[in-house]
Amino acid sequence: HLNALMDPLAMSLIFQYDKSTIYLARADVFNQKTMVKFLNYVKILPAFRIKDGFENLGRNAEIFETCKEVLKQKHNLCIMPEGNQEIERNVRPLVKGLFRVAFSAQEETDAEIFIVPIGLDYDDLINFGENLIINIGKPISVKSYKQAYTENPVKTTNELRNKLRNALIELTVHIDTKENYACFETLFNVATESISATNNLEKNPVKKFELRKKIAEKLVQYEKEDEKITENLKELCERYNQISKNL
């Protein structure tokens, strides 16, 4: 979840028009009175987090009941499973609310409910007119986990959460580092632009996306397997950033 309201708006492009789609968004955006009418119009509901006040968490029960009804009526529910928005290009740990809603709805209907992982990749998070990749993964059947969930809800939820997160990692750019993220992002951007220009990939967003994934994976591989190369890259990155700052 990288780009606030643009992410659900992008999702609206791919859903079936004969079905309604309900979205969940962090509750604090509903504090802006000028936004509430728009959010209601595009079918966005609030999801309350601890940072929204512990006393508000109980209000999620009503929201989750609405979400269950949406699924039971065979409409779409769109949730950003990381539970927050960041501009770092990686898949963060997933929150449990998605799975709570999915299993609860599956227990109350004979229809099969699916979780469909979708990865988003923006060429640029700020500038207008850049490319956006919407990458749709293989649906995951919640019904296939129903018996296991009945026997051990915690273990089954964790298994499904790991499966979904791994699927999302395959569908987007995942720079899997904390210590060296700032440096790797700089290297990632420079390498992407350089290789894209050399290989004329600017007019082929899909090929460019595949390149970006390979660059991210290679940088993380260096960090895990070759300390010397990683240190050289960090030194090179520091020099690059200093020269850029001076210019």
Side-chain angles (χ1 to χ4, degrees):
H1 187 22
L2 296 169
N3 204 343
L5 288 174
M6 181 53 67
D7 289 351
L9 288 174
M11 293 298 92
S12 68
L13 296 174
I14 64 174
F15 289 132
Q16 295 169 276
Y17 290 110
D18 61 342
K19 293 186 177 183
S20 293
T21 300
I22 307 299
Y23 301 85
L24 287 186
R26 68 179 197 266
D28 61 321
V29 299
F30 286 79
N31 295 333
Q32 304 172 36
K33 293 183 179 180
T34 56
M35 288 288 291
V36 172
K37 286 186 178 180
F38 169 75
L39 294 171
N40 288 335
Y41 176 74
V42 295
K43 301 186 176 79
I44 297 179
L45 297 174
F48 296 90
R49 303 163 298 173
I50 291 178
K51 63 176 65 176
D52 298 314
F54 187 78
E55 68 280 4
N56 288 319
L57 290 181
R59 299 170 66 182
N60 278 332
E62 181 181 348
I63 300 298
F64 285 176
E65 284 299 317
T66 301
C67 293
K68 283 167 51 179
E69 287 304 313
V70 169
L71 294 175
K72 287 162 63 178
Q73 296 299 323
K74 300 183 180 181
H75 293 292
N76 299 315
L77 177 65
C78 184
I79 298 179
M80 306 302 169
E82 294 157 307
N84 57 13
Q85 179 212 331
E86 297 287 348
I87 59 172
E88 292 187 355
R89 297 181 184 277
N90 53 44
V91 178
R92 298 174 297 284
L94 309 187
V95 297
K96 293 182 179 180
L98 160 66
F99 309 101
R100 174 182 165 187
V101 170
F103 280 119
S104 183
Q106 186 65 80
E107 288 176 352
E108 297 180 17
T109 180
D110 292 329
E112 191 166 11
I113 292 174
F114 293 92
I115 297 174
V116 182
I118 300 176
L120 299 175
D121 180 67
Y122 293 84
D123 263 8
D124 193 301
L125 289 168
I126 299 173
N127 293 321
F128 177 78
E130 299 294 333
N131 291 314
L132 164 63
I133 296 289
I134 302 176
N135 211 3
I136 305 170
K138 183 179 179 180
I140 301 170
S141 170
V142 177
K143 199 170 187 177
S144 66
Y145 286 84
K146 184 177 178 180
Q147 182 61 39
Y149 181 78
T150 302
E151 297 170 358
N152 193 327
V154 174
K155 180 182 177 182
T156 306
T157 296
N158 288 333
E159 287 179 359
L160 185 53
R161 181 163 56 174
N162 290 335
K163 181 168 184 172
L164 177 59
R165 186 168 185 270
N166 290 333
L168 291 171
I169 288 172
E170 290 298 316
L171 297 170
T172 188
V173 172
H174 182 57
I175 306 178
D176 188 18
T177 178
K178 292 183 178 180
E179 180 182 356
N180 296 312
Y181 184 86
C183 172
F184 280 10
E185 184 180 41
T186 297
L187 295 167
F188 169 83
N189 289 331
V190 172
T192 298
E193 294 310 310
S194 176
I195 298 172
S196 294
T198 302
N199 293 276
N200 297 315
L201 298 182
E202 293 301 328
K203 294 183 179 180
N204 192 328
V206 174
K207 289 292 184 182
K208 189 174 181 181
F209 166 72
E210 293 170 352
L211 168 67
R212 290 150 71 85
K213 278 188 63 66
K214 289 179 181 178
I215 292 172
E217 291 166 1
K218 197 66 177 178
L219 287 169
V220 173
Q221 181 184 348
Y222 285 144
E223 181 185 56
K224 292 179 179 179
E225 299 178 2
D226 199 316
E227 184 177 348
K228 184 176 181 180
I229 288 182
T230 302
E231 290 302 316
N232 289 340
L233 288 173
K234 288 167 67 175
E235 181 181 344
L236 186 65
C237 184
E238 289 174 4
R239 288 170 51 200
Y240 175 87
N241 285 334
Q242 187 60 52
I243 292 171
S244 297
K245 183 178 179 181
N246 292 341
L247 291 174

